[in-house]
Amino acid sequence: MENLNPASPIKLNAVGLSKKDYDGSPSTLCKGCGHNSIASQIVQIAFELNLRPHQIIKLSGIGCSSKSPAYFLGMSHGFNALHGRMPSVATGALLANHTLKAIGVSGDGDTGSIGMGQFKHLMRRNLRMVYIVENNGVYGLTKGQFSATAEEGLELKYAGHNEFPPVDLCMEAIIAGCGFVARSFAGDAKQVRELLKAALSHRGTALLDIISPCVAFNNEDDSPKSYGYGTKHEQPLHELGFIPYAEEIAIEPLEPGEFRTVRLHDGSLISLRNLGHDYDPTNKLAALERLQRAQETGEFITGLIYYNPERPSLAELEGLSTPLAQLSPEQLRPSPAALEQLLQAYR
């Protein structure tokens, strides 16, 4: 790529692209929306990881969150599905070509309400994709009604009083068999980036439940899904770092129990430095107990909550090798003789 201004060189990554090449269209969301911050972090990590845009597919459903794939990776494939139906489209796309890297973006309504059934079955099937829930606790497109993830007892100016207990999407994912479950906060850009990098290296479905404040309808400081609350009350379980497989690994010596590494399916590593919490993300029951305790006490815990690399992905279970999209017409269609033989059985 030619730089027309030598005094201001454009930094290119290993595949010859600048960070700007990973941008999408200008955002039409509210200024300050947490979803815009998440889109910015996806652009940043795609540049840092040297991703090739044509090898990525973006998927979404309906809602403010589902508009955001238009705002990153403008050169990548994309599909905006029906409300709550993104998992079905993702399954079809990745069965047709399982070599694509998939980034699905949904919301707490698109996933936790109308799409809950599809979400649970996607977690069970372990489709290899990153599933991001941009979670703000309200329906922003329809003037701020409570979503299924809103806290019980929450009072909002336009929605009134919420009488129902919240759905915890991380808990639902773990119960359904998801092997990579994390929660983060749109205001914690570094943690979001490291989790995104690790999620892209996971063997199957990776869920990122990112609390993403709605500045229009749910941003009062006493709301657990606001910027003020998140900034003041976020409790990271650990300090995260991502080490790509190609990089030499050098780790400073630390006290036993203070630091651990988790190897991902492609050989890369997540480094976890304990921050005063004796927490093991590979313990399923402990993860569920920690989420339940956080819900009961109002804690806002973030980080890698559960990790299990042992489950094979859907493509592995189905024995897919050459992607269906790359098979020749002769391989996909029966020959005239084979078709005639089949028809004879019905005559």
Side-chain angles (χ1 to χ4, degrees):
M1 183 181 295
E2 183 181 0
N3 179 14
L4 300 179
N5 183 7
S8 197
I10 299 173
K11 182 179 179 181
L12 304 181
N13 63 11
V15 295
L17 297 176
S18 69
K19 182 181 173 184
K20 189 169 181 59
D21 290 325
Y22 292 94
D23 284 344
S25 303
S27 175
T28 60
L29 297 173
C30 300
K31 186 175 181 180
C33 177
H35 302 356
N36 288 332
S37 174
I38 296 168
S40 296
Q41 306 320 315
I42 294 173
V43 169
Q44 180 66 39
I45 65 104
F47 173 72
E48 292 178 6
L49 294 179
N50 307 306
L51 300 182
R52 298 180 185 274
H54 70 279
Q55 295 176 341
I56 300 170
I57 181 170
K58 307 178 295 180
L59 302 140
S60 64
I62 295 295
C64 291
S65 58
S66 295
K67 295 171 65 178
S68 61
Y71 313 140
F72 61 82
L73 306 185
M75 294 191 291
S76 295
H77 310 281
F79 197 105
N80 189 205
L82 298 174
H83 203 4
R85 303 300 184 263
M86 181 263 283
S88 291
V89 175
T91 301
L94 291 172
L95 283 176
N97 189 350
H98 63 91
T99 65
L100 294 173
K101 288 184 178 293
I103 300 174
V105 181
S106 185
D108 38 300
D110 192 58
T111 288
S113 294
I114 192 170
M116 176 61 90
Q118 297 230 348
F119 167 73
K120 293 284 282 189
H121 288 294
L122 182 74
M123 299 297 118
R124 289 179 58 238
R125 293 177 183 133
N126 206 28
L127 192 68
R128 188 176 183 189
M129 68 177 295
V130 179
Y131 191 119
I132 300 169
V133 179
E134 296 181 334
N135 187 349
N136 56 25
V138 293
Y139 294 105
L141 279 184
T142 54
K143 306 306 178 187
Q145 300 94 333
F146 292 116
S147 79
T149 65
E151 292 74 19
E152 185 175 7
L154 182 63
E155 295 273 356
L156 292 179
K157 178 179 178 181
Y158 296 101
H161 179 81
N162 181 39
E163 299 175 341
F164 303 107
V167 170
D168 189 311
L169 296 173
C170 289
M171 200 177 293
E172 295 291 342
I174 294 171
I175 292 169
C178 185
F180 186 112
V181 178
R183 176 166 286 148
S184 193
F185 172 48
D188 189 344
K190 180 181 184 298
Q191 187 190 69
V192 170
R193 285 196 301 273
E194 299 306 296
L195 286 171
L196 281 168
K197 292 175 185 177
L200 281 165
S201 293
H202 181 55
R203 183 178 189 175
T205 305
L207 173 73
L208 271 62
D209 178 23
I210 304 179
I211 306 304
S212 179
C214 175
V215 294
F217 297 110
N218 191 10
N219 199 35
E220 298 296 326
D221 285 348
D222 59 349
S223 169
K225 291 183 173 60
S226 67
Y227 276 115
Y229 189 97
T231 302
K232 184 176 180 180
H233 295 283
E234 182 188 7
Q235 296 184 41
L237 295 173
H238 29 238
E239 181 182 328
L240 284 149
F242 176 78
I243 306 167
Y245 177 65
E247 291 187 8
E248 181 180 354
I249 299 170
I251 299 171
E252 59 183 286
L254 296 166
E255 292 299 319
E258 185 182 359
F259 184 85
R260 71 163 61 216
T261 59
V262 177
R263 187 169 295 278
L264 298 167
H265 184 60
D266 65 355
S268 54
L269 296 174
I270 310 173
S271 64
L272 303 173
R273 185 195 300 264
N274 289 336
L275 296 177
H277 308 275
D278 185 16
Y279 184 73
D280 177 8
T282 64
N283 186 324
K284 185 174 185 177
L285 290 178
L288 290 169
E289 187 277 333
R290 190 67 186 89
L291 286 168
Q292 181 64 36
R293 180 152 46 95
Q295 189 176 105
E296 292 174 354
T297 59
E299 293 177 282
F300 179 22
I301 59 171
T302 63
L304 181 61
I305 293 171
Y306 179 62
Y307 179 68
N308 174 15
E310 300 304 320
R311 284 191 66 206
S313 68
L314 181 62
E316 291 175 284
L317 286 175
E318 298 300 324
L320 299 180
S321 53
T322 303
L324 300 179
Q326 296 176 13
L327 296 177
S328 67
E330 292 73 24
Q331 292 172 298
L332 288 170
R333 293 199 296 257
S335 66
L339 183 59
E340 180 60 29
Q341 183 180 3
L342 176 65
L343 292 175
Q344 286 293 338
Y346 295 97
R347 290 173 180 165

